[in-house]
Amino acid sequence: MVTILGIRHHGVGSAQQVKAMLEQLQPDCILIEGAPEITPLLSFIGNENLVPPVAIMLHDVAMPQRYTFYPFVAYSPEWVAANYAYKHQIPISGMDMPAIYFLDEEKESETTPVEQGPKFFEDPLLQFAKISGYDSIDDWWDYYFENGNTAQTPQQHFDAVHLSMDIVRKETIEERKETLIREAFMRQQISAAINKMHQNIVVVCGAYHRPALLEIDKYAKVDAKLLKQLPKSKVKIRASWIPWTNDRMAKFSGYGAGISAPAWYHHLWKNKKEITTTWLVRTANKFRKKNIDISSAHIIEAQRLSYTLAALRGKHCVGLQELNDATLSVMCLGDAAIFNLIKYDLLVENKIGKLPDDIPKLPIQEDFELSIKKLRLPIADYEKLIELDLRKEQDLRKSEFLHRLALLNNPFATLMLSKSKGTFKESWNLCYSPSVEIALIDQSYLGNTIENACTQFIKTEVKEASSILHLATILHQLIPASLFDVFNDVLKAVEDQATLSNDIIDLLKALDPMIAIIRYGNVRKTDTAALGSIVANLVVKATIGLPNACYGLDEDKSMEIGSLIHTAFQKIKLLEDDYLSEAFQNACLIIFQKANYHPIINGSVGRLVVDNDMQEISKIQAAISFHLSANQLPEDVAYWLQGFLYKSGSILLYDEKLWNLLYDWVAQLATADFDILLPFLRRTFSTFEYAERRSIGQKAKHGLSAITAGEMLQEYEFDEVNALKIIPTITKLMGLKIN
Amino acid sequence: MSVINQHAEHLFANELEELKKQDSGNLPPNWNLSPQSVVTYLIGGKLANGFQISPKYIGDRRLIEIAVATLTTERALLLYGLPGTAKSWVSEHLSAAISGTSTLLIQGTAGTSEESVRYGWNYAKLLAEGPSESAIVSTPIMHGMKNGKIVRIEELTRIAADVQDTLITILSEKTLPIPELNMEVQAIKGFNIIATANNRDKGVNELSAALKRRFNTVILPLPSSAAEEASIVQQRVASLSKNLELPAELPALIEIERIVKIFRELRNGVTEDGKTKIKSPSSSMSTAEAIAVVNSGMALAAHFGNGKVNATDIAAGLVGAVVKDPVQDKVVWKEYLDTVVKTREDWKDIYRACKEISL
């Protein structure tokens, strides 16, 4: 005897009725809708350490990114059936189309149907729902078949489900080809079970398929022919249990058979009586946690309103819709914004499944779990912020592990900006989701532990890297992940790349992360000697190439290289290597002195020269007045100023000579030229601070300045003796040594 | 005979009559119609015998269901929302459908006194005869309690807080004590209160927590789509012009859609295509005001124009509706005209018309 029970996946009512029906029928074999590959894993259901929501994941061993899931919650009829099978020690297996066919992407395109029936017949269930006055199939089905506490006997329930499905299937003109193939597989599996001499077979499958599974014999020949046409598949499938989350069960997560309110269904499943009262009490508690006062009277009134609403809508029991409406009106004063505060927590609720330790997993998954346990990292399906103090041994280990995951682009951990200052604190945002497992499985081919996978990952990255910046960034990531095995490999690659490359911009950019490693490497107790010599080489190379690299650039590029030179100069100073600093200064001076660069670069480098007293004052002033002289093209002067005054105009306030030069230059401009230049100048000046601009404006009111910087000091009666007294304290404060 | 605004129960007397005839649902005590029929009366629909009920409220059916269900639980109903979102309209129709009368009305103002909520005294009689039942001046609430009818309170939040709180006993105990006579009026079944209040006046006299708890609140939202809003405006204009006997032709739907679009864009602060940001004026730009603009346009067209509503007729009302603050709103309106209206090819007429009205 074969009994087919039509259900909705994750339907509470279906699950209850399946449970009752199984007790009644006492079957000796159960088949459920799912690829046969999941069969071996079904035997774990019943193990008390396997706590739903969990899912079986099937993936292609060769290409882990091809995968599919079979999620289970406590109220999944399949879960209930598997529990029954476990308790009574009877076989249970999947009977759907094998995953080897549908996980094969190339072949999948052949099986997807192109021809579809007319629109009206596309979703016959929706027609059903509409006739009964519902907007969606889910609401309709929920109300009639899944409301948990129905008075119907299991037999009556399934009769009703089956009758409606028979009608629906009769109305459907043409099935999708995929459905036809799947059903052919199902029929074959059922007859296989019969051939195995099972007397009392129960099939638990989506209600929609039931009508097609009734007359197996009639289809036998057609099925054999149909399935013979399927192309051979050589895909190897691996099945594994993974923890699942309520969030992923919910419809909005994109899961096809998703449900709108997992927490509500769970509530229905857990509570047989007083469903509305307990639900509203739960709702009230969620509000109270958010500091919104809800009294018992609110609950009573909400309950009354929900009952009246159900009566008004002609329903025999209160559904989620009524409860939500009542909550909104009574507890939230009609304001949806208040309801939204708790909506996610109320209807979905964070929940994550658990797996027993002895379930077979991929080595990398095991390594992940072991590390999590060893490091005592929290695992939850909502975002959890942790603070690490890198001076502590355990925290340093945690940080290393998380940095490794980040390196692999695993979504489990995200590095946040630490709130406190200093380099020994780190904040991480941890959040577990099934995609964490997917990412792990996806990268399992890289190695059996996270560390090995990282190493392998870096090696391939390094091979593909085409810029020094990219390599330097990788290098920068290695330190916190303490992956020193590959450190030298990457360094070697940097060296090779630097020899080959002529891209000075790339070089300059790469200096930043590399010097940062030297500076901060010791926080992690890293040996940076080898790195130091490579950086020195890079600087020398950059110094030599810089003057040539600045030729023939347009405005934007000039601006970019200008600010790059500025940062590179600052960074090189941090190395405290006089030889390198001097070499770089010389490169800057070469650019400063030559006139045939883009004026922006000239101006920008000029500023560096002035700010750092790279040259004698007289030479600098000569060069500046050269650039501001009346015979220069007005646009060039404007560009020069743009580079020179980039983001800071305070130099105009204290350097009177420069001020006078500029003032003269503006004064001699022809009106027409001035009109053209105004936007350029405005662009430059608009980057200054407001206070700076105001001071400049006030200064401009007074016109030419008659005094030089030196004279100005005298005017303020500068007292050298007094000033010298401060010096020792300042040097002490700054840790400088001055003779 | 010809009043300007007929009460709902007269205007839609035949619909109510027909609903009553067809009603098969359970009647709560002292209700004229079953809750289901009340919902049908507001939302509209076809009766079993094919009789068409016109929709009174265009919007979410759920909200009306909550409102009606609330009234059957004997909890009071508070309709909340921006000015012009049909709160009073819904309250009038609900009471007309449930109690057959929408006239038990207390208008909330800053000057509404306790006497107009509970009861007052006929002082001549009071002095002549001393306190007696016949010296009491009844209020709509007292009347509603005695007869089991729905009472409406408009603009609840405008009423002073101490006067508001006199409602607490009435709502929770359903009784109105008259200590002077050592007696009380106990409400009979069917009595309930529908209050309206608007968000904009929130700060005026916020309801006390105790009073709030006695109400189920339904927030009436602004129409969710332009099409919905256009159909509300069109329907209301049609019925009003019948009332006012305006000889002008009803403006085409296109014209109404244009006005609704202007209103929605200014209200939402962004053009309908979501591409341009605009400033919002201080006025609430509600649907009710859109209706008024169309109406005044029709009146202008009828009496001073050629009987056909054109851009010039609309412009005057439009500018008046938008510019409530002569300084700020003027800027907003001018910006909107020049950045949005001007750029639209087929809106040239309305642009010119609005420009002509110098502010």
Side-chain angles (χ1 to χ4, degrees):
Chain A
M1 182 180 73
V2 179
T3 315
I4 299 170
L5 304 178
I7 48 117
R8 181 177 78 175
H9 306 294
H10 322 304
V12 177
S14 294
Q16 280 168 353
Q17 303 290 14
V18 163
K19 197 174 177 187
M21 205 62 181
L22 286 173
E23 301 289 348
Q24 229 176 71
L25 290 169
Q26 304 276 339
D28 59 359
C29 171
I30 300 177
L31 296 176
I32 63 170
E33 189 183 332
E37 284 95 338
I38 67 169
T39 305
L41 293 194
L42 290 175
S43 60
F44 283 94
I45 299 179
N47 182 328
E48 57 180 13
N49 289 321
L50 183 67
V51 184
V54 287
I56 295 178
M57 180 167 90
L58 298 180
H59 68 94
D60 181 342
V61 176
M63 305 184 94
Q65 56 275 29
R66 290 185 188 164
Y67 54 81
T68 185
F69 293 116
Y70 290 91
F72 295 93
V73 277
Y75 45 88
S76 300
E78 295 92 338
W79 180 267
V80 170
N83 258 315
Y84 179 89
Y86 179 85
K87 217 165 91 188
H88 295 85
Q89 291 299 314
I90 57 164
I92 177 165
S93 52
M95 56 152 190
D96 206 339
M97 180 184 198
I100 49 167
Y101 292 111
F102 62 86
L103 278 186
D104 196 346
E105 232 174 23
E106 287 103 347
K107 283 169 203 161
E108 196 180 34
S109 55
E110 285 171 33
T111 50
T112 38
V114 190
E115 72 282 14
Q116 270 176 355
K119 191 88 185 149
F120 178 83
F121 292 103
E122 252 186 19
D123 214 333
L125 277 176
L126 189 61
Q127 295 299 319
F128 243 121
K130 279 192 175 153
I131 292 165
S132 320
Y134 287 86
D135 295 336
S136 80
I137 303 171
D138 277 353
D139 289 346
W140 167 74
W141 182 278
D142 256 5
Y143 175 67
Y144 282 102
F145 299 126
E146 304 292 355
N147 68 58
N149 55 346
T150 166
Q152 285 178 324
T153 65
Q155 195 59 55
Q156 284 171 326
H157 168 88
F158 285 111
D159 283 348
V161 170
H162 297 159
L163 179 67
S164 48
M165 285 305 135
D166 286 346
I167 295 167
V168 166
R169 284 300 283 259
K170 266 180 210 148
E171 289 299 324
T172 312
I173 286 183
E174 201 156 10
E175 266 324 316
R176 298 176 58 197
K177 197 173 171 201
E178 195 199 339
T179 313
L180 293 178
I181 295 175
R182 287 180 57 198
E183 285 170 352
F185 271 112
M186 294 183 198
R187 284 188 291 262
Q188 283 207 333
Q189 294 283 335
I190 295 173
S191 50
I194 297 172
N195 291 342
K196 276 186 199 156
M197 296 306 183
H198 288 297
Q199 301 297 317
N200 188 358
I201 302 167
V202 166
V203 176
V204 178
C205 68
Y208 189 74
H209 297 300
R210 184 187 177 268
L213 305 180
L214 289 175
E215 294 161 67
I216 300 168
D217 299 335
K218 207 175 92 185
Y219 289 96
K221 270 192 190 151
V222 190
D223 286 350
K225 205 173 145 198
L226 178 69
L227 297 184
K228 226 179 214 167
Q229 291 171 356
L230 283 181
K232 288 269 179 302
S233 170
K234 282 188 194 130
V235 179
K236 259 186 92 182
I237 300 286
R238 201 175 178 289
S240 42
W241 278 108
I242 59 167
W244 201 250
T245 62
N246 258 1
D247 190 62
R248 282 273 180 140
M249 283 309 298
K251 197 150 226 169
F252 53 77
S253 73
Y255 168 43
I259 41 184
S260 49
W264 163 249
Y265 292 115
H266 190 74
H267 182 83
L268 276 182
W269 175 249
K270 252 183 24 201
N271 300 284
K272 302 278 178 287
K273 275 185 227 155
E274 309 289 342
I275 291 168
T276 49
T277 321
T278 44
W279 177 259
L280 286 169
V281 169
R282 184 170 170 272
T283 310
N285 281 327
K286 301 264 179 217
F287 275 120
R288 288 169 190 154
K289 266 194 203 134
K290 294 273 176 202
N291 291 325
I292 295 167
D293 293 333
I294 299 292
S295 65
S296 312
H298 280 110
I299 301 176
I300 296 168
E301 291 305 339
Q303 175 149 5
R304 282 182 68 193
L305 181 58
S306 65
Y307 275 106
T308 334
L309 269 174
L312 183 65
R313 289 170 183 167
K315 296 185 180 181
H316 73 269
C317 67
V318 175
L320 184 59
Q321 170 87 42
E322 284 75 42
L323 287 167
N324 281 348
D325 284 347
T327 305
L328 184 69
S329 185
V330 178
M331 297 189 190
C332 308
L333 296 171
D335 192 347
I338 299 177
F339 191 48
N340 284 342
L341 265 183
I342 62 149
K343 198 168 175 185
Y344 178 83
D345 201 22
L346 182 72
L347 301 181
V348 180
E349 196 170 41
N350 287 318
K351 204 167 176 206
I352 187 165
K354 280 196 197 106
L355 301 185
D357 294 333
D358 53 353
I359 271 187
K361 281 170 223 155
L362 287 174
I364 194 169
Q365 286 174 294
E366 275 169 10
D367 184 55
F368 174 78
E369 271 170 39
L370 205 70
S371 309
I372 293 264
K373 252 185 213 157
K374 214 167 68 191
L375 296 169
R376 305 213 177 141
L377 287 167
I379 190 152
D381 69 334
Y382 50 90
E383 296 195 343
K384 204 168 167 120
L385 198 71
I386 59 165
E387 285 271 348
L388 300 179
D389 182 347
L390 301 186
R391 292 169 300 187
K392 289 183 192 151
E393 187 62 25
Q394 179 75 356
D395 278 9
L396 189 61
R397 293 282 94 78
K398 282 183 192 172
S399 161
E400 278 168 15
F401 173 69
L402 296 177
H403 272 290
R404 283 174 190 178
L405 285 179
L407 201 81
L408 290 172
N409 298 322
N410 192 295
F412 179 64
T414 329
L415 183 62
M416 310 300 284
L417 281 175
S418 189
K419 269 177 251 154
S420 58
K421 283 186 182 167
T423 45
F424 54 82
K425 279 265 164 88
E426 272 182 0
S427 305
W428 288 88
N429 211 350
L430 306 186
C431 178
Y432 179 85
S433 67
S435 47
V436 170
E437 302 283 340
I438 299 166
L440 285 175
I441 289 165
D442 201 17
Q443 284 158 336
S444 61
Y445 70 96
L446 288 170
N448 285 340
T449 63
I450 304 242
E451 187 177 353
N452 287 347
C454 280
T455 314
Q456 200 54 44
F457 183 75
I458 301 277
K459 280 185 180 161
T460 36
E461 278 274 288
V462 166
K463 252 180 231 157
E464 282 162 15
S466 58
S467 73
I468 304 176
L469 176 63
H470 189 176
L471 288 168
T473 323
I474 294 176
L475 210 54
H476 198 217
Q477 289 173 323
L478 288 182
I479 308 282
S482 83
L483 293 164
F484 296 113
D485 294 349
V486 276
F487 196 74
N488 288 326
D489 293 346
V490 185
L491 270 187
K492 178 90 180 31
V494 173
E495 223 171 351
D496 294 349
Q497 191 74 253
T499 327
L500 295 173
S501 153
N502 289 317
D503 190 349
I504 298 295
I505 293 189
D506 178 32
L507 244 172
L508 288 177
K509 279 184 185 163
L511 281 179
D512 190 5
M514 304 256 288
I515 292 175
I517 300 171
I518 296 185
R519 294 271 300 157
Y520 300 113
N522 51 355
V523 177
R524 306 275 185 157
K525 303 164 188 116
T526 319
D527 176 29
T528 52
L531 182 62
S533 66
I534 289 182
V535 170
N537 281 343
L538 289 185
V539 175
V540 172
K541 214 174 139 57
T543 312
I544 298 166
L546 188 60
N548 283 332
C550 294
Y551 276 119
L553 298 177
D554 63 358
E555 186 189 337
D556 288 344
K557 268 270 183 275
S558 301
M559 209 61 209
E560 187 192 347
I561 207 165
S563 65
L564 271 177
I565 292 174
H566 274 259
T567 31
F569 181 76
Q570 304 300 340
K571 296 283 165 187
I572 292 169
K573 264 215 284 200
L574 292 176
L575 286 173
E576 293 173 352
D577 182 325
D578 291 344
Y579 172 73
L580 292 181
S581 304
E582 207 167 303
F584 197 78
Q585 273 196 22
N586 287 334
C588 292
L589 283 175
I590 293 173
I591 299 171
F592 181 57
Q593 241 108 52
K594 284 197 181 164
N596 32 9
Y597 291 108
H598 195 285
I600 288 187
I601 297 188
N602 245 321
S604 173
V605 173
R607 181 62 179 276
L608 202 61
V609 171
V610 171
D611 283 352
N612 294 286
D613 295 330
M614 288 184 194
Q615 232 179 1
E616 297 145 49
I617 301 261
S618 60
K619 277 194 182 169
I620 294 177
Q621 279 176 343
I624 291 177
S625 79
F626 167 78
H627 284 293
L628 286 181
S629 53
N631 293 336
Q632 295 276 12
L633 281 176
E635 299 98 278
D636 283 351
V637 179
Y639 276 135
W640 189 85
L641 278 172
Q642 191 185 339
F644 191 82
L645 297 174
Y646 179 63
K647 280 191 180 164
S648 160
S650 51
I651 191 171
L652 288 176
L653 294 174
Y654 60 76
D655 190 331
E656 305 296 342
K657 271 259 162 68
L658 181 67
W659 172 262
N660 286 350
L661 283 171
L662 189 62
Y663 195 92
D664 276 338
W665 174 73
V666 174
Q668 56 82 33
L669 280 175
T671 319
D673 285 341
F674 184 75
D675 285 350
I676 296 168
L677 287 181
L678 196 58
F680 290 96
L681 292 174
R682 192 184 182 284
R683 189 170 58 180
T684 305
F685 278 80
S686 65
T687 58
F688 301 166
E689 295 290 325
Y690 172 71
E692 242 170 41
R693 283 202 310 254
R694 199 183 50 193
S695 311
I696 293 173
Q698 272 166 355
K699 193 165 177 175
K701 230 173 167 178
H702 298 301
L704 276 173
S705 186
I707 38 171
T708 62
E711 286 165 36
M712 207 162 117
L713 288 177
Q714 275 168 17
E715 198 192 41
Y716 285 117
E717 290 171 13
F718 180 72
D719 186 341
E720 205 163 325
V721 184
N722 255 337
L724 275 175
K725 284 182 192 161
I726 330 167
I727 302 291
T729 319
I730 292 180
T731 49
K732 215 173 191 178
L733 276 174
M734 300 182 73
L736 298 171
K737 267 186 200 152
I738 288 181
N739 11 340
Chain B
M1 135 97 221
S2 54
V3 293
I4 295 177
N5 222 344
Q6 280 197 315
H7 292 305
E9 58 270 29
H10 299 133
L11 211 51
F12 296 96
N14 55 344
E15 284 190 9
L16 289 168
E17 189 66 29
E18 201 64 37
L19 273 165
K20 205 167 180 176
K21 261 192 254 163
Q22 302 285 322
D23 208 346
S24 57
N26 269 338
L27 288 192
N30 273 326
W31 279 41
N32 278 2
L33 296 173
S34 71
Q36 286 86 349
S37 300
V38 176
V39 174
T40 315
Y41 172 72
L42 270 115
I43 294 292
K46 219 174 199 168
L47 295 185
N49 64 352
F51 188 85
Q52 193 71 35
I53 303 288
S54 63
K56 317 294 177 300
Y57 178 74
I58 299 176
D60 198 349
R61 180 191 184 94
R62 245 188 68 242
L63 294 177
I64 299 300
E65 283 176 348
I66 298 176
V68 175
T70 295
L71 292 170
T72 62
T73 61
E74 291 158 23
R75 244 163 93 85
L77 174 68
L78 175 62
L79 297 172
Y80 212 48
L82 285 173
T85 41
K87 296 182 298 291
S88 308
W89 177 253
V90 168
S91 118
E92 180 186 347
H93 281 283
L94 278 175
S95 45
I98 294 170
S99 303
T101 169
S102 59
T103 52
L104 295 176
L105 170 70
I106 296 175
Q107 178 62 47
T109 68
T112 305
S113 63
E114 216 177 306
E115 286 84 53
S116 46
V117 174
R118 298 170 68 215
Y119 52 87
W121 294 100
N122 178 342
Y123 285 98
K125 247 187 177 167
L126 186 66
L127 290 174
E129 299 169 8
S132 73
E133 232 175 302
S134 62
I136 282 182
V137 178
S138 169
T139 61
I141 287 194
M142 196 182 230
H143 187 80
M145 290 176 87
K146 279 183 180 159
N147 299 297
K149 303 263 182 211
I150 302 279
V151 180
R152 296 162 56 205
I153 303 179
E154 289 285 305
E155 300 291 354
L156 181 62
T157 46
R158 301 209 69 89
I159 301 178
D162 49 338
V163 182
Q164 280 178 14
D165 285 347
T166 55
L167 287 171
I168 294 179
T169 335
I170 299 172
L171 290 179
S172 59
E173 317 279 325
K174 309 280 184 218
T175 171
L176 180 60
I178 309 174
E180 293 90 340
L181 301 179
N182 197 19
M183 61 170 275
E184 61 174 7
V185 176
Q186 273 188 306
I188 68 163
K189 287 195 169 164
F191 163 75
N192 211 332
I193 286 180
I194 304 177
T196 63
N198 74 57
N199 295 3
R200 282 273 163 121
D201 291 345
K202 226 172 191 172
V204 179
N205 287 308
E206 186 69 68
L207 299 189
S208 68
L211 187 56
K212 247 185 210 165
R213 215 188 63 59
R214 263 95 193 166
F215 284 104
N216 281 356
T217 317
V218 171
I219 293 188
L220 295 181
L222 288 163
S224 54
S225 71
E228 192 179 275
E229 191 161 2
S231 87
I232 295 173
V233 174
Q234 198 183 27
Q235 196 198 331
R236 279 291 283 158
V237 168
S239 75
L240 278 173
S241 68
K242 217 191 290 166
N243 276 4
L244 303 178
E245 287 153 16
L246 282 177
E249 221 174 281
L250 270 180
L253 188 61
I254 280 199
E255 196 63 43
I256 290 177
E257 276 169 354
R258 196 154 72 168
I259 293 165
V260 166
K261 193 164 173 173
I262 293 175
F263 268 69
R264 290 179 71 83
E265 290 186 331
L266 284 168
R267 184 198 303 146
N268 298 335
V270 61
T271 51
E272 292 274 279
D273 57 11
K275 283 183 187 150
T276 318
K277 188 164 169 42
I278 25 195
K279 293 194 188 111
S280 287
S282 62
S283 44
S284 69
M285 307 300 300
S286 66
T287 317
E289 279 173 288
I291 294 166
V293 168
V294 179
N295 255 334
S296 73
M298 284 174 64
L300 273 176
H303 300 299
F304 303 101
N306 57 4
K308 247 183 161 173
V309 182
N310 60 28
T312 329
D313 301 323
I314 295 296
L318 199 54
V319 175
V322 179
V323 183
K324 294 272 152 72
D325 178 317
V327 183
Q328 281 170 17
D329 292 346
K330 205 161 111 181
V331 178
V332 172
W333 175 239
K334 278 192 169 158
E335 265 187 38
Y336 179 73
L337 271 184
D338 283 320
T339 54
V340 180
V341 179
K342 194 179 177 185
T343 56
R344 290 187 176 141
E345 234 359 87
D346 42 354
W347 282 30
K348 290 263 185 282
D349 52 340
I350 198 137
Y351 175 72
R352 247 176 268 124
C354 291
K355 269 287 183 187
E356 270 169 24
I357 303 171
S358 60
L359 291 165

